[in-house]
Amino acid sequence: YQAHGGLNGLKRALTMTPAQVVQDVTASGLRGRGGAGFPTGIKWKTVLDARAAQKYIVCNADEGDSATFADRMLMEGDPLTLIEGMAIAGIAVGATRGYVYTRSEYPVAIEMMRQAIAVARAAGVLGARVLGSDHAFDMEVRVGAGAYVCGEETSLLNSLEGKRGVVRAKPPLPALQGFMGQPTVVNNVISLASVP
């Protein structure tokens, strides 16, 4: 796992304060890939500043548009980079749980992500002490039923909670009241995989 210079981003994040990690992501100019191009750092800062007993990282991997396969290719071919990006996001905002929400039409990507999460847990990248640090972060894959609308972040969150996948009114923003009403970072696969 670490033999090829992997985990350098996560190792670096563990030497920084959460605010410094968020500042780095903000300074990088990283933006969402969902169409709106919302700055990732601003979303993360909102969640970092929110006070809550539990925060979440949700990866939107519900790639519903026709002939789009970037998310699938990344999850099948380089899932550990996505896991590392989600762990960094968790450390940055104080979230200890993460979910990759993807579509049932991606059986290979689902299986590869689940295997990679098991590998990451065994390597100490996920769990109660991320790489031996005081930071906890663990994650799992959740599979939607293929509803196109669940690619929109608030309907995705409803689906993740076991509700009907319908768009929520904003405000409140998911960054303040997202999954289970708690502060939640919702980013897509390419955004999170770019973080390391």
Side-chain angles (χ1 to χ4, degrees), residues 82-107:
L82 176 57
I83 292 167
E84 182 181 359
M86 288 182 68
I88 293 169
I91 288 161
V93 305
T96 57
R97 294 284 316 158
Y99 297 94
V100 176
Y101 181 96
T102 193
R103 41 201 291 113
S104 57
E105 294 92 335
Y106 281 2

Side-chain angles (χ1 to χ4, degrees), residues 1 6-11 13 21 25 30 40 44 57-59 74 78-93 95 97-100 113 120 125-126 130 137 139 185 187-196:
Y1 195 167
L7 301 178
N8 287 342
L10 180 56
K11 288 173 186 167
V21 177
V25 170
L30 183 64
T40 304
W44 286 22
I57 307 297
V58 173
C59 175
L74 209 145
D78 195 6
L80 295 167
T81 297
L82 176 57
I83 292 167
E84 182 181 359
M86 288 182 68
I88 293 169
I91 288 161
V93 305
R97 294 284 316 158
Y99 297 94
V100 176
M113 281 305 308
V125 173
L126 297 174
V130 173
F137 187 77
M139 58 183 283
V185 167
N187 284 139
N188 67 24
V189 172
I190 294 175
S191 299
L192 287 162
S194 299
V195 168

Side-chain angles (χ1 to χ4, degrees), residues 154 168-174 176-177:
T154 63
R168 296 179 184 176
K170 293 182 195 176
L173 296 169
L176 297 173
Q177 290 179 37

Side-chain angles (χ1 to χ4, degrees), residues 109-172:
I110 292 163
E111 181 55 28
M112 294 306 291
M113 281 305 308
R114 286 185 170 148
Q115 286 183 26
I117 288 168
V119 167
R121 259 191 217 118
V125 173
L126 297 174
R129 296 174 60 82
V130 173
L131 292 182
S133 72
D134 292 333
H135 295 278
F137 187 77
D138 208 345
M139 58 183 283
E140 62 186 87
V141 178
R142 291 280 179 91
V143 182
Y148 180 77
V149 71
C150 290
E152 191 278 331
E153 63 179 7
T154 63
S155 57
L156 183 157
L157 291 169
N158 276 340
S159 176
L160 202 53
E161 291 176 5
K163 299 176 186 152
R164 192 163 169 211
V166 292
V167 177
R168 296 179 184 176
K170 293 182 195 176

Side-chain angles (χ1 to χ4, degrees), residues 46-55 175-176 182-183:
T46 305
V47 177
L48 171 62
D49 292 344
R51 296 176 68 100
Q54 181 68 57
K55 299 178 184 181
L176 297 173
Q182 301 303 310

